[in-house]
Amino acid sequence: MLAGFDGIVRATTGSKRLKLGSDVGRTDLLSGHDKSNGLFTGDIDGSGTTRMYVRRKLANQPLFVAIALPEAGVYAQPYRNQQRYIILGFIGSLLVLVIVYFGVMHQKRLEVARVALAESEARAQRKSEELERTLEHMGQGIIMVDGDGEVVVMNDNAVALLELPGKLARQRNRFDQIVDHMLARGEFGSIGRSDEQATMRQVRSLRPGLDRDYYERKRPDGTVLAVQSQRMPDGGFVRTITDITERHRSAEKIAHLARHDTLTGLANRTLFREKLDAALEHIDRDDGFCVLFLDLDDFKIVNDAHGHPVGDGLLCQVALRLKEAVRSQDTVARFGGDEFAIIMTGLSDPNQVIVRTRHLIELLREPYRVDDIFLSSTASIGCALAPTDGSTANDLLRNADIALYCAKADGRNTSKLFAPEMSEQLIERRRTEEELSNAIAAGELELHYQPLVSISSGSFCGFEALVRWNHPERGRIPPLDFIPIAEDTGLIVPIGRWVLNKACHEAASWENEQRIAVNLSSIQFREASLVDDIRLALKQSGLEAERLELEITESVMMQNGEQTIAKLKEINGLGVKISMDDFGTGYSSLSYLRNFAFDKIKIDRSFVNELGRGNECDSIVRAIIALAEGLSVSTTAEGVETSEQLEVLRAMGCVEAQGYLFSPPRPASEIYEFVNQVPNIQQRSLQQRGHHQRGSRQITASKPELVASVTDDELVNSTG
Ligand code: C2E
Ligand code: CA
Ligand code: CA
């Protein structure tokens, strides 16, 4: 555009609005004081578009030229650049922010890691201290050996247990050096030499192929170490060493206890069985052995009489005697109670066995002294020879037991060698025991009565009740055949009670008030109820106590002295009389007379039998009678069979007599006449009765009133 300073456009191009003659005088183009050259921005032509104007004054003319460009066009590139820069700046800032953020985060993480590291370092330190303390206080020795065979860890305990010298106690030694030191010191005894490869490998590390290895060894000083090794991944190993001396000792003790009897220290059943099995393994025909079962007779009596401590003392002494009597290679065992068993080796001859067992029986019969108490005891022995009587342990034990059983049944204090027929006897005996236990209930027991005669008057002054067993198949069994069985099994208690009751009832029914004598077994004296049983029998029968006589043998007195005497006194206190039966057959009958005031002594049949034959029996019987007189004790001679015997007894002053001469034991029904006739008339009735019986014979005493008839049958059957 060319315009004058008057504002009138003289020429124009490019703008539709500005035309020739248009006035721009009042626009920004001409406003202001300097109307020379300049740069302006504005909307000159009123088109709404802001333009940039350049104004140039024409030299020497009141004209100027203005060139306009739209402002947007002029700034388009810078704008674009500016936007780009803004975006780039923004992105850059964002990037910086991200980097800064990550940087901070990293820093933070680093910090956390540093703290954690410090913590874990502290922890590790603590752990290592703890570990060290543990190692030192663990009570076990610990050694860690690395793959190169170097000791990495070794605690003080290990050093102490292995008694290592200072230079070997330091770590970083070679483990082999330690082992060599111990070897040189003789630590492993015979083992550990080159011949004991496997053991040595175990000592130096672990046996090949094992991840874990264990062995125990006894050190020369007696301590026992348990050594456990665990292989490590690097080929080394960790080894713990534990002192198990105490545990080992207890284990040995337990093992000993498991095989020995605590009371006597002898082998027990288990060890005996092992020895027996071993003996059987080595047996050959020439070298047999013998199994002995030994049982004390009446041990229970000693136990009951003097208490268990004394009983135990007796068992210990028996054990000692047996131990000393056998050879060192023999085995003596106690199976419990008073049961002993012995294996005698190198014995195959039965005669030899008999000699040896007799010796044992003699040895055990010697008096014992326990706590100032003198005891006497006997033993029964059963023997079985290997291999004759059995080739297995069970057979031998069973047969020795059977033989013992027979020794017991044969009166005890004896030994028996097993014989095959014993088994039969045993079966028979077991059957008898069973049948006897039913005998009372089955009404198979019966009492027979044998009169006791006053020698001076010839009258029947009493009767002894003697039990019989009427067996449904075996007939009448004599008491000597079943009383010992009843005593062994304890059946004597109910049987004895039955006898007592029955005898008291019977006697209470007699018109003439003769006395009734009842035998008591020693076993009955062990019953606490004995005195009450007697009291009850008297009460229920109504029999006066003075008419009851109880006969006891020496075996009763051998039991608990004081208790027995107290019981005897209590019985005596009831008014019941006590007789000493079978006097003279025991060892110390005399001493028992001193301990208790017996009412009567019954002189044993074995002495009476021999009277008038010119041997020492006359003197013995005379002495007994004199002694009894001195003690104001009555006397009864047992087993008087002949009038000669009766005359000798009369001359000696014996008070009463009992025997086949007068009458055998008779059933209750038959003695009716005896008990219901007045004295002296009885004899006549007997005579008459005798004449009525077939095959009877007469035994006449020198005094005419003492005559009794006895049938032959009765004589033969008198013991049953
Ligand atoms: P004991 O107490 O010595 O009884 C006397 C035994 O001698 C009786 O044998 C009797 O029949 C027998 N006898 C009697 N006079 C003569 C004779 O002139 N010659 C011969 N050779 N013997 C004669 P028994 O009845 O066989 O009794 C044997 C043993 O059995 C008794 O000996 C006694 O110890 C025991 N006994 C019997 N009955 C009982 C009882 O009820 N209880 C207890 N505990 N034992 C009894
Ligand atoms: Ca008797
Ligand atoms: Ca007797």
Side-chain angles (χ1 to χ4, degrees), residues 534-713:
I534 296 167
R535 210 178 271 128
L536 198 70
L538 289 172
K539 197 175 162 206
Q540 287 181 341
S541 64
L543 184 78
E544 298 86 16
E546 290 66 29
R547 289 180 60 198
L548 180 62
E549 277 179 10
L550 296 176
E551 299 189 0
I552 64 163
T553 56
E554 195 188 85
S555 61
V556 172
M557 299 303 285
M558 276 165 63
Q559 304 188 55
N560 188 347
E562 279 163 32
Q563 269 183 37
T564 304
I565 286 165
K567 266 185 193 166
L568 287 173
K569 284 186 176 158
E570 210 180 337
I571 295 167
N572 234 185
L574 298 174
V576 175
K577 298 196 165 49
I578 311 277
S579 310
M580 170 66 109
D581 206 354
D582 305 340
F583 190 83
T585 53
Y587 292 107
S588 36
S589 310
L590 282 175
S591 72
Y592 297 132
L593 289 184
R594 216 181 49 195
N595 296 343
F596 179 74
F598 285 92
D599 297 290
K600 181 193 271 188
I601 288 170
K602 295 189 79 175
I603 304 162
D604 194 67
R605 203 166 66 216
S606 56
F607 300 107
V608 177
N609 231 359
E610 297 290 311
L611 283 180
R613 296 195 185 168
N615 57 30
E616 73 279 11
C617 279
D618 285 34
S619 322
I620 292 173
V621 174
R622 189 177 295 113
I624 294 173
I625 293 167
L627 177 80
E629 264 175 11
L631 292 169
S632 307
V633 174
S634 179
T635 40
T636 300
E638 294 185 307
V640 181
E641 294 183 358
T642 65
S643 42
E644 289 76 24
Q645 288 165 354
L646 180 67
E647 284 322 303
V648 174
L649 288 163
R650 186 199 306 280
M652 287 176 178
C654 186
V655 184
E656 290 173 3
Q658 176 185 3
Y660 296 162
L661 176 63
F662 314 104
S663 167
R666 292 171 188 273
S669 57
E670 287 181 25
I671 59 151
Y672 185 80
E673 307 165 61
F674 289 72
V675 295
N676 292 328
Q677 308 296 317
V678 285
N680 297 332
I681 302 172
Q682 288 165 344
Q683 278 70 47
R684 232 174 299 140
S685 76
L686 249 180
Q687 262 177 312
Q688 286 159 4
R689 202 176 144 269
H691 288 301
H692 291 306
Q693 282 168 337
R694 246 187 327 122
S696 70
R697 66 186 164 87
Q698 209 177 59
I699 300 165
T700 316
S702 53
K703 270 220 168 172
E705 65 267 30
L706 275 176
V707 179
S709 292
V710 183
T711 64
D712 289 344
D713 277 356

Side-chain angles (χ1 to χ4, degrees), residues 261 269 295 315 333-340:
D261 169 39
R269 202 183 283 269
D295 195 295
L315 290 176
R334 177 173 166 250
F335 283 3
D338 58 340
E339 270 179 55
F340 295 85

Side-chain angles (χ1 to χ4, degrees), residues 64-78:
F64 67 88
V65 177
I67 298 163
L69 279 172
E71 196 180 35
V74 174
Y75 285 124
Q77 188 61 36

Side-chain angles (χ1 to χ4, degrees), residues 135 138-144 153-164 175 178 182 187 203 214-217 219 223-229 237-244 247:
L135 286 182
M138 70 191 276
Q140 280 174 311
I142 189 159
I143 300 175
M144 195 180 197
V153 172
M154 177 154 65
N155 68 355
D156 291 350
N157 262 327
V159 175
L161 285 172
L162 300 178
E163 283 188 275
L164 296 180
F175 186 64
I178 293 175
M182 293 196 290
E187 185 78 12
V203 169
Y214 179 86
Y215 67 89
E216 290 175 8
R217 70 177 174 93
R219 297 200 52 221
T223 52
V224 182
L225 299 181
V227 181
Q228 174 142 25
S229 309
F237 60 90
V238 180
R239 173 165 293 181
T240 53
I241 303 159
T242 317
D243 184 344
I244 55 161
R247 199 208 307 162

Side-chain angles (χ1 to χ4, degrees), residues 69-123:
L69 279 172
E71 196 180 35
V74 174
Y75 285 124
Q77 188 61 36
Y79 272 154
R80 270 197 300 278
N81 283 347
Q82 187 191 19
Q83 267 172 344
R84 195 179 299 138
Y85 292 145
I86 285 170
I87 289 168
L88 277 174
F90 180 73
I91 292 173
S93 307
L94 211 69
L95 237 128
V96 168
L97 272 174
V98 167
I99 288 168
V100 166
Y101 173 76
F102 279 108
V104 169
M105 289 308 285
H106 181 66
Q107 198 62 34
K108 260 192 178 158
R109 272 205 299 273
L110 270 179
E111 190 56 35
V112 169
R114 220 185 357 257
V115 170
L117 190 71
E119 268 178 12
S120 62
E121 253 172 22
R123 244 194 334 260

Side-chain angles (χ1 to χ4, degrees), residues 296-341:
L296 296 185
D297 305 323
D298 299 323
F299 171 69
K300 200 178 174 316
I301 295 180
V302 173
N303 233 0
D304 291 350
H306 304 286
H308 288 275
V310 174
D312 286 353
L314 174 64
L315 290 176
C316 288
Q317 290 193 21
V318 168
L320 208 69
R321 287 187 193 182
L322 291 175
K323 194 92 197 143
E324 280 168 3
V326 302
R327 290 174 303 176
S328 60
Q329 63 267 37
D330 297 345
T331 306
V332 182
R334 177 173 166 250
F335 283 3
D338 58 340
E339 270 179 55
F340 295 85

